[in-house]
Amino acid sequence: MFIQLKGRKCLVVGGGKVALRKIKVLKDFEAEVTVVAPDMIEQIRQMNDICRIFRSFEEKDLKSVELVVAATDDKKENHRISQFCMEQNIPVNAVDQKEDCSFIFPSYIKEGEVVGAFSSSGQSPVITQYLKKKIRPTLTKQLGQISESLGEMRQVVKKLVWPEKRRKVLYKELLNLSLEKNMPLDHDIIEQIILKYNEESRKHEWIEQED
C-alpha cells in the first residue's frame, strides 16, 4: 500500500543518523516534517523546509500529526512513543523495533512519480538491497520522465480513444516507442499517433462489418 504523504504532517523523534535517513525518505515524498530531539546532528540542523524542536518528546507533539517515526537511541522511549501513537490510531514506525511498528519503511527506488518498493517484512534487509540493486538499471531517470509524459496525455487519450481495451493497447505502443527512444515522446507526436491509431481502428471496424 502506498500512502499520499505530500503536505501531510509527519513527526520524527530523534536527532541522529537514523532519524536523518527517515527524514530524507519523508521529504522525498514531500511530507511536512517536524523533528523533536534535545540535540540534532549537523545534517539535520542544516536541512531546509523542516521544523526543528530542541527538547525531549512530549505527548502533545502528536497533535494534528498523521504519521510518526520514533528514531531515538533509547528503545524504552521509542516504545513509549509507539504506545501513545497506537492509542491515538496514528501510524508509527519505531526503528528496529518491529513489535512497536504499525508500518515499516521499504527499501525503494524513486524516479519522478515512479516508485519501486521492496520489503522482506523486516526479516532480511540483504534481500531488499539485492532486489533494489537488480531493479536499478531498469528504473531510470528516463523512465520517470516517460511516465510523467504519458500521464500528462491520459485525459487526451481517454477522450479520443475507446473502448478501454484499445486504450491499453495504445498505452503499450506509446511506452514501447518511448523506451526505444529512451526519452519521452513529444506531445505533438503522441497526438499524431493517437489520430493514426483511431484511423486504423476505424478501418479495421469497417473491414469486420463488410466481412
Side-chain angles (χ1 to χ4, degrees), residues 102 124 142 170:
S102 60
S124 181
Q142 287 77 15
L170 176 60

Side-chain angles (χ1 to χ4, degrees), residues 102-149:
S102 60
F103 77 94
I104 60 175
F105 283 92
S107 178
Y108 73 95
I109 303 171
K110 184 175 186 292
E111 290 292 351
E113 295 301 315
V114 180
V115 182
F118 317 97
S119 172
S120 64
S121 296
Q123 292 184 339
S124 181
V126 69
I127 292 291
T128 59
Q129 291 302 315
Y130 167 78
L131 290 171
K132 183 176 178 180
K133 185 177 180 180
K134 293 290 286 186
I135 295 299
R136 177 74 273 181
T138 301
L139 211 170
T140 61
K141 181 179 180 179
Q142 287 77 15
L143 191 63
Q145 293 171 343
I146 289 169
S147 174
E148 181 179 355
S149 174

